[in-house]
Amino acid sequence: MMNEDRVNDIIQRWRETPEDDLMPEDYQQFKSLGSACLTLGDSTQLLKFLRNEKNQVIVKSMGCVLMAPLVNEVIKKENNLDHCQAAITHLTRTCSPDELLHSLLEITEDIEAGAISETILALIPHLQTVLFRMEERKAACVGLALSALQKQLSRLPAPYTRQQEEADEYGLCRCCNALAAFAKPFIQEVTRKNGDCITTSEDQELRTELLKFCMRSLRDPLLEAELSRDRKSSLWLFATEIMVTLPAIQESLSELLFFNSLKRSTHTDISLSKESRACLAYLLFVQLITIDSFPAVFSPVFVLQCNMEHINQLLSSKKESHLLKGLALYAKSLESVQDHSLPVSLLELKGFYGAPQNLRQVLAECPMQHLRESGLQVFQLFINKLDAEAKHKFFRCMLKTSNHAGVESYIVKNIRDQVEFSMKLGNANKWFLGEELLSLLGLVFCLPQGADTDLLNSMDKIMESLNLLRYLVIRDKELRDLTDVWEELCRIKEEYLKMLRVCIGISRAYYSAELKALREDQKLKAKEARDAARSARLVKRITVKHEKVSTNMSPEVQQQVLQSALVTFDLMESLIFRIEEITEEKLKISS
């Protein structure tokens, strides 16, 4: 550390040197002296120096370099916090706003992972002060500041439970509140000028930057957060602020959602636009935020059709928060649509094809049970809204493309329900009680791999198919009136049951052999263990036979799987036997 006389000489030289003649070494030395004061706990002396009237030219020229060390001291929350805050406030009112903004943005870019929220909360009020002082390029600077702050906020994990949000361990909720307060004066500035006849390019640029801020906020953190109308949490209030801001800056929610007015902005990232708009649709239609101001002229089918794009976006994600929002938006969009009303032409639209396919993936592949259960409810709701022809086409598509026995079994169950519905007075239609039914039954009563079909993997579909076949045989009267349909059904039935018997025979022989081998293997291991115990020798190697069920299962679990398979084959055979019994009884009655 320099002695006092040396420091005074340097300060005097700086006072006498014009700003343009100051060298980079002078800036570095000024920063070093200021940092040394803070390190020694002498922030009082530093504040006194900064406020000294004789030093204002120095402070105005080089004061920005002290921003970083002062902010670091504030974040530490140690002694002399008030002096450091006062020093920063003085700098924000004295130094060049352009240089201040540059310094503050540099600090924002360099935030360490463990100090994100503390740094943002410390910077926001001072950033706002600096932006208020801007005379030129204010809108662009507001955009730079908002973007830099949100970039750092996106590094913080969104709270996923009520307890996490209340604890706010990472400070995201506090930062969102501060960010909303930071943006409010600029939103008010735009709002005040909404009625003006003349709109400057600067005004329009500020609107654009605020729109980008809203869209970024919708994606992160609101798309990740758990929101509920029953609990007005910090993030709920932040979501409300964003939704209120959009119309305030003259952005129509219907245009953003349905007509994609963001296309006019060449600076908006496409994926950001899609995710943000999807979250916007969720907040509007599910959480009902600002729904009172949304035009009521759009029909439920039109809203559903437009929302399919957003539903598709959410359901194509692997994130739980996105899937939950996608399922909720799908259900809400369907609720207002009349049952049996959606025509087959809608299924030809990209959204109406993609969303059910993504929903099928949730049902077939999602590891979380509550999502699969919610997905199944939405799946059924969607089916209920289709008219007969649309249901027929949708069922055919699912049977051909799902490649999942569970999904296929659910489709088969729905086919049975539709056949039963069509048999009731006044409900007859060719799609489920006529020649068109045969194209569906051909897909239902089918074993694509023939005799090599894995009956365990296909069990759900096969059992539901046999139940459907039993129902059709029992309700033969309605079908016998359609001679061609009944004859073709009988042919399909005979071929299906014949092949199924072959599959059951092959599978039973295979699994019985596997079970026998497993039991022999267990006996061998038990004998080796007894021999080892009697001879008191360490058994270093035990030969294990090749196990075809699963090398990851314990012998006990393998045995349960094999026994369960054999029981399943017995169930299938009993259903086949019952179908043939009913067929014979019907033949006797008819003859």
Side-chain angles (χ1 to χ4, degrees), residues 113-159:
I116 295 173
S117 60
E118 292 83 357
T119 306
I120 287 176
L121 292 171
L123 288 177
I124 275 181
H126 303 299
L127 258 173
Q128 193 180 61
T129 301
V130 170
L131 290 169
F132 285 157
R133 291 181 58 206
M134 288 281 181
E135 294 181 359
E136 296 180 355
R137 297 182 58 253
K138 181 177 179 180
C141 293
V142 169
L144 286 172
L146 286 169
S147 177
L149 292 169
Q150 288 179 288
K151 181 180 177 181
Q152 293 302 327
L153 277 184
S154 67
R155 296 167 63 191
L156 296 176

Side-chain angles (χ1 to χ4, degrees), residues 288-447:
L288 306 180
I289 301 177
T290 67
I291 191 66
D292 292 341
S293 60
F294 190 76
V297 297
F298 302 113
S299 71
V301 175
F302 179 77
V303 171
L304 172 66
Q305 183 177 333
C306 293
N307 276 345
M308 277 298 193
E309 176 190 351
H310 313 310
I311 292 163
N312 224 359
Q313 176 68 34
L314 294 169
L315 293 185
S316 63
S317 171
K318 302 297 182 186
K319 295 181 178 179
E320 183 182 5
S321 58
H322 294 207
L323 292 172
L324 281 170
K325 288 179 174 63
L327 291 171
L329 181 59
Y330 205 168
K332 203 69 180 178
S333 301
L334 287 166
E335 280 177 7
S336 302
V337 176
Q338 187 178 349
D339 284 354
H340 319 300
S341 67
L342 295 179
V344 69
S345 58
L346 286 179
L347 295 181
E348 297 171 4
L349 301 177
K350 182 179 178 182
F352 272 85
Y353 175 80
Q357 290 295 335
N358 282 322
L359 183 55
R360 176 195 60 77
Q361 281 193 315
V362 173
L363 298 176
E365 301 172 14
C366 181
M368 288 169 274
Q369 183 177 350
H370 68 284
L371 287 178
R372 295 198 304 274
E373 290 174 350
S374 297
L376 194 59
Q377 292 175 1
V378 176
F379 193 65
Q380 185 61 60
L381 185 60
F382 177 70
I383 291 172
N384 293 345
K385 302 301 176 180
L386 301 173
D387 68 14
E389 184 181 0
K391 284 186 176 75
H392 186 278
K393 181 173 182 176
F394 181 68
F395 293 161
R396 287 191 64 192
C397 177
M398 282 290 140
L399 288 171
K400 287 180 177 180
T401 63
S402 70
N403 297 316
H404 187 272
V407 174
E408 290 173 0
S409 72
Y410 199 75
I411 293 297
V412 174
K413 178 182 176 297
N414 268 275
I415 291 173
R416 186 201 156 179
D417 292 341
Q418 290 306 310
V419 171
E420 184 177 4
F421 176 78
S422 301
M423 288 181 176
K424 292 178 181 177
L425 188 64
N427 294 336
N429 64 78
K430 66 177 182 177
W431 303 104
F432 294 99
L433 197 63
E435 291 185 5
E436 299 295 341
L437 175 62
L438 294 173
S439 62
L440 275 180
L441 298 182
L443 294 171
V444 172
F445 303 127
C446 172
L447 299 170

Side-chain angles (χ1 to χ4, degrees), residues 475-490:
R475 299 297 299 270
D476 66 325
K477 185 177 182 297
E478 289 85 349
L479 293 168
R480 284 180 186 275
D481 294 338
L482 306 165
T483 307
D484 293 341
V485 174
W486 178 251
E487 289 178 355
E488 182 62 16
L489 172 60
C490 290

Side-chain angles (χ1 to χ4, degrees), residues 523-534:
K523 288 178 182 178
L524 178 63
K525 287 180 181 179
K527 183 176 181 301
E528 288 175 346
R530 286 195 299 271
D531 291 345
R534 278 196 297 269

